[in-house]
Amino acid sequence: MTPATSVLHAPTPTASGPESLAEALGLARLLGASLAEVDAAAALQHRVDRKYLVPLAVAARLMVSLAGTHRVLDIAGRRTTDYRSTYFDTPELAAWRAHVQGRRRRWKVRTRLYAEDGLCRIEVKTKDGRGATVKHALNAEADAYGRLDSTATDFVNAMLGQAGITSVPATDLTPASEVRYHRAALADLEAGTRVTLDGLLTCHRDDRTTALDPGHVLVETKGRLRPAPADRLLLDLGARPVSVSKYAIGLSLLVPGLPGNDFRRIARTYFETSAPSHAFERNAA
């Protein structure tokens, strides 16, 4: 077993709250950056995302390696942010199906609340012809979270239409699930790339909940077509990219009778569901 592999599979601490998550990641060792600095250098609305599910111990080693080039978002001394995202879909779950089937024109619509700061955004994510993520956002009042009013539906229709998705009227979309997690955001202010780490992640629908194992975090690198230094460091630590969507894996576990999909192995390894789930029954799509 190589050193990298042994680290990847070694016992790791768990996080029980945002403070313990920040401590386990070692965020205090990084220099802080303001939201304005991070947005100015690394907003990256058109980007390539690479995702990794890793133990906290591996993520902490990554923080040590990135400390010389990356700064962590710091808001009044707080180095993680409570994210809440309500995802919208059609009654037939067209967005979910487009994602799990790997369709070229896939999309997500959500409202996102930054809970501590009382900020809300309506966001539309699509894929371009080269597989890169394109994200558009509209600022809104905090009480707009979890719903799409007329202003939001006009925005969603415009952004989906711009991506060539014209068969999904925003008025057909209703809340499908909520995803909650605490995020640490890092940015290389010179290179303009970002790394996010999401822990304490839970997905909710009706009375069902599924949760990522608290000893793991979802690491996302957000940059250009060429892998960033963080990607190379993660590979050196034994991590490998995974194809995973918080929304898609959440519904896979929380909605009985959805067709089988490639998230089964990841879900069985990293997630626990609080109620019996029939997500992996193979029914016709």
Side-chain angles (χ1 to χ4, degrees):
M1 181 177 290
T2 66
T5 304
S6 64
V7 169
L8 190 62
H9 296 283
T12 185
T14 62
S16 58
E19 292 183 359
S20 63
L21 176 64
E23 182 178 355
L25 292 173
L27 298 180
R29 66 170 54 94
L30 283 85
L31 293 175
S34 69
L35 180 60
E37 288 176 310
V38 171
D39 281 348
L44 291 176
Q45 300 305 307
H46 191 169
R47 70 202 188 201
V48 174
D49 297 342
R50 298 175 177 87
K51 303 178 182 180
Y52 307 81
L53 278 164
V54 303
L56 279 168
V58 172
R61 289 192 61 178
L62 177 66
M63 297 300 93
V64 173
S65 299
L66 293 179
T69 55
H70 288 63
R71 296 170 67 178
V72 61
L73 175 63
D74 186 303
I75 301 176
R78 191 186 75 237
R79 296 199 162 188
T80 65
T81 298
D82 181 354
Y83 277 57
R84 304 184 185 190
S85 299
T86 294
Y87 288 83
F88 296 80
D89 212 331
T90 66
E92 299 79 22
L93 301 180
W96 181 89
R97 294 178 187 277
H99 187 90
V100 299
Q101 293 169 5
R103 295 180 190 170
R104 182 182 174 192
R105 294 191 182 278
R106 54 187 186 266
W107 52 276
K108 290 176 187 168
V109 172
R110 67 190 179 203
T111 57
R112 168 166 285 176
L113 180 69
Y114 302 86
E116 297 100 338
D117 306 304
L119 302 176
C120 180
R121 301 205 309 179
I122 294 93
E123 297 184 344
V124 179
K125 295 176 69 175
T126 59
K127 292 285 186 180
D128 69 6
R130 303 178 68 181
T133 299
V134 182
K135 183 169 76 172
H136 300 279
L138 176 69
N139 291 331
E141 297 295 328
D143 63 4
Y145 176 68
R147 60 188 178 87
L148 297 177
D149 61 16
S150 59
T151 299
T153 55
D154 288 345
F155 171 74
V156 170
N157 282 330
M159 295 304 100
L160 290 179
Q162 185 173 304
I165 300 167
T166 58
S167 60
V168 185
T171 51
D172 289 353
L173 303 179
T174 58
S177 73
E178 183 182 47
V179 178
R180 304 175 187 174
Y181 52 93
H182 288 264
R183 167 169 289 184
L186 281 63
D188 183 330
L189 301 185
E190 293 186 6
T193 57
R194 294 178 58 201
V195 179
T196 60
L197 301 98
D198 299 338
L200 306 172
L201 190 157
T202 59
C203 306
H204 309 265
R205 178 181 167 95
D206 299 327
D207 59 349
R208 291 172 173 256
T209 297
T210 188
L212 176 66
D213 172 68
H216 287 75
V217 293
L218 176 63
V219 180
E220 298 185 38
T221 63
K222 305 167 190 291
R224 312 301 176 189
L225 289 175
R226 179 178 297 180
D231 293 289
R232 294 190 288 272
L233 290 168
L234 283 160
L235 291 176
D236 289 343
L237 289 168
R240 295 294 180 267
V242 293
S243 176
V244 62
S245 153
K246 301 180 189 76
Y247 172 60
I249 202 168
L251 280 198
S252 294
L253 289 165
L254 298 176
V255 178
L258 286 180
N261 58 75
D262 292 339
F263 294 130
R264 282 181 295 177
R265 180 187 61 81
I266 293 174
R268 287 171 176 167
T269 303
Y270 297 104
F271 284 78
E272 281 191 19
T273 304
S274 64
S277 173
H278 307 287
F280 302 131
E281 292 180 359
R282 287 193 172 275
N283 295 329

Coordinates of all heavy atoms in Angstrom, one line a residue, residues 160 223 230 272:
L160 N -32.3 29.5 -19.4 CA -32.5 28.2 -20.0 C -32.6 28.4 -21.5 O -32.0 27.6 -22.3 CB -33.7 27.5 -19.5 CG -33.7 27.0 -18.1 CD1 -35.0 26.3 -17.7 CD2 -32.5 26.0 -17.8
G223 N -12.1 25.5 -12.2 CA -11.1 26.2 -13.0 C -11.3 26.0 -14.4 O -12.4 26.0 -14.9
A230 N -4.5 22.0 -7.5 CA -5.2 21.3 -6.4 C -5.6 19.9 -6.9 O -5.6 18.9 -6.2 CB -6.4 22.1 -6.0
E272 N -25.9 7.8 4.2 CA -26.8 7.1 5.0 C -28.2 7.7 4.9 O -28.3 9.0 5.0 CB -26.4 7.0 6.5 CG -25.3 6.0 6.9 CD -25.2 5.9 8.4 OE1 -26.1 6.2 9.1 OE2 -24.1 5.4 8.8

